[in-house]
Amino acid sequence: MYPFGTPTVVPAAIFDAVKDAHDLRKAMKGFGTDEDALINIICRRSNEQRQEIQRQFKTHFGKDLIEDIKSETSGNFEKLLVGLLRPIVDYYCAELNDAMAGLGTDEEVLIEILCTLSNMEINTIKNQYLRLYGAHLESELKSETSGNFKRLLTSLCTAARDESGRVDLVAAKNDARELLKAGELRVGTDESMFNMILCQRNYQQLKLIFQEYEGMTGHSLEKAIKKEFSGDVMEGLIAIYRCVTNKAEYFASRLHKAMAGIGTNDTQLIRVIITRSEIDMTDIKVAFERLYGKSLKSWIKGDTSGHYKHALYALVGEQRSS
């Protein structure tokens, strides 16, 4: 039923957008806000259903639901609900735009989005980015990054990956040999070969290439990338490697990184949960517990609080505990 994984947020089976719109209005009218009602509706509907609720809200009350939510909530709870109400493509565009706005660039965001999506998703985001911000995503990326990392992002942005799913053992052996010649067997690194192979081959073929590489060298290509590259381009190539070998583990590591250590990177936590809840969050939870020995819920519980915490629980398919 779910070809890409098991989601934690699915479309509500019995769905009445008009009723939801009225219930949301009621939850925000007068003194105080019924946050639980906001969570129960917004966090338990699909993105498509949330768009329909917003249309009905505007039709019935002549008000913008996002604006009302902004005036009734604050902090991370507000950020989460507003993110959920945006069409998912707009949300991705906003995250990319925020990552490049102002001083400095949040390269991790660029990697997390561009290294993990399909051609169609990247093309849809590029078109919408131009509509929303009046600028080409590719030229924005080029002006915000440099060197090998810039070339990697440009390759990914062209969305030219083979997606046939066809595998060819002979070609895999050849590519593995080329990667070896471009990296560990020479002085310096021919990064263009890594770029070409990791950005153009289909995921099934890359799995085969990685196996061949390991067979030839006795260690993983990830280890070779860490030896041959550094900085953002290394992180980008490793992200592609991990998405090919186990996408759920890659996103589990992103959630872990958002919460590990002192403080929480709430923007990252919110982004991963919003973008993966309708795709493969159940698989990510399983991977998280396997990798870190504790449940995702227990980490969320330790790092967040209040309505924000309860909203995250709902999105990752967990029941509220006291």
Side-chain angles (χ1 to χ4, degrees):
M1 187 171 168
Y2 300 112
F4 306 112
T6 313
T8 45
V9 172
V10 295
I14 302 163
F15 176 58
D16 180 346
V18 176
K19 182 182 184 306
D20 283 348
H22 280 269
D23 289 347
L24 286 170
R25 178 85 177 104
K26 201 166 81 192
M28 295 186 283
K29 244 175 107 169
F31 287 107
T33 307
D34 181 353
E35 286 89 358
D36 287 337
L38 301 184
I39 293 170
N40 282 331
I41 297 171
I42 296 170
C43 299
R44 299 185 194 282
R45 305 287 184 273
S46 68
N47 191 276
E48 216 171 297
Q49 289 176 330
R50 292 181 206 123
Q51 304 316 312
E52 186 51 39
I53 293 168
Q54 287 178 85
R55 281 191 287 274
Q56 295 300 342
F57 195 89
K58 196 165 263 180
T59 304
H60 286 255
F61 310 113
K63 290 165 77 86
D64 185 302
L65 178 57
I66 287 182
E67 292 310 315
D68 273 18
I69 294 277
K70 281 179 174 173
S71 66
E72 293 291 326
T73 59
S74 62
N76 290 315
F77 184 51
E78 173 193 340
K79 205 165 164 182
L80 178 64
L81 295 182
V82 169
L84 287 165
L85 289 169
R86 288 215 163 108
I88 194 72
V89 181
D90 292 19
Y91 180 73
Y92 273 123
C93 290
E95 289 294 297
L96 287 167
N97 188 61
D98 288 351
M100 296 186 283
L103 287 170
T105 304
D106 190 339
E107 290 84 5
E108 283 195 9
V109 177
L110 307 181
I111 291 168
E112 185 195 296
I113 295 176
L114 294 170
C115 294
T116 63
L117 296 180
S118 69
N119 292 344
M120 194 187 88
E121 289 166 327
I122 289 173
N123 283 324
T124 307
I125 287 168
K126 282 195 321 200
N127 294 335
Q128 186 65 349
Y129 194 92
L130 183 59
R131 269 199 296 274
L132 291 173
Y133 301 105
H136 289 279
L137 178 60
E138 191 174 316
S139 42
E140 295 282 280
L141 290 166
K142 281 179 173 167
S143 69
E144 290 292 327
T145 57
S146 61
N148 295 340
F149 184 55
K150 174 164 91 173
R151 287 190 281 278
L152 175 69
L153 292 183
T154 305
S155 299
L156 290 166
C157 207
T158 55
R161 187 182 297 286
D162 161 38
E163 289 181 344
S164 67
R166 281 197 296 271
V167 291
D168 176 338
L169 186 61
V170 177
K173 283 187 196 301
N174 282 337
D175 277 349
R177 219 171 280 126
E178 289 299 329
L179 287 170
L180 195 51
K181 285 198 304 220
E184 298 186 87
L185 288 183
R186 58 174 284 169
V187 179
T189 308
D190 173 9
E191 51 88 22
S192 64
M193 185 57 73
F194 280 80
N195 217 349
M196 195 261 299
I197 292 173
L198 271 83
C199 294
Q200 289 184 14
R201 305 291 184 255
N202 73 61
Y203 270 31
Q204 290 74 12
Q205 182 69 5
L206 282 170
K207 270 189 182 154
L208 206 51
I209 294 167
F210 298 164
Q211 282 165 15
E212 287 300 316
Y213 192 93
E214 209 155 317
M216 287 175 190
T217 61
H219 58 254
S220 72
L221 183 67
E222 180 173 358
K223 194 174 170 188
I225 292 169
K226 284 181 173 164
K227 205 172 92 182
E228 295 295 319
F229 293 88
S230 63
D232 298 322
V233 70
M234 176 189 83
E235 295 293 346
L237 292 169
I238 287 174
I240 297 171
Y241 177 87
R242 289 187 178 163
C243 277
V244 169
T245 48
N246 191 325
K247 201 169 242 180
E249 281 190 6
Y250 170 74
F251 282 107
S253 75
R254 297 293 296 153
L255 288 169
H256 181 258
K257 191 170 182 193
M259 295 184 283
I262 297 166
T264 306
N265 182 339
D266 291 289
T267 308
Q268 185 170 316
L269 181 61
I270 289 169
R271 185 179 56 253
V272 175
I273 289 177
I274 287 180
T275 56
R276 306 313 294 184
S277 58
E278 286 188 56
I279 304 172
D280 55 1
M281 187 50 79
T282 300
D283 312 307
I284 294 169
K285 285 199 304 189
V286 172
F288 190 95
E289 196 154 344
R290 186 174 65 239
L291 289 172
Y292 306 109
K294 283 178 80 176
S295 70
L296 176 61
K297 182 184 181 180
S298 68
W299 274 71
I300 291 174
K301 186 177 183 178
D303 264 58
T304 63
S305 62
H307 305 300
Y308 173 46
K309 175 179 79 175
H310 291 138
L312 291 175
Y313 280 178
L315 291 167
V316 301
E318 295 290 350
Q319 296 303 315
R320 282 174 68 155
S321 40
S322 55

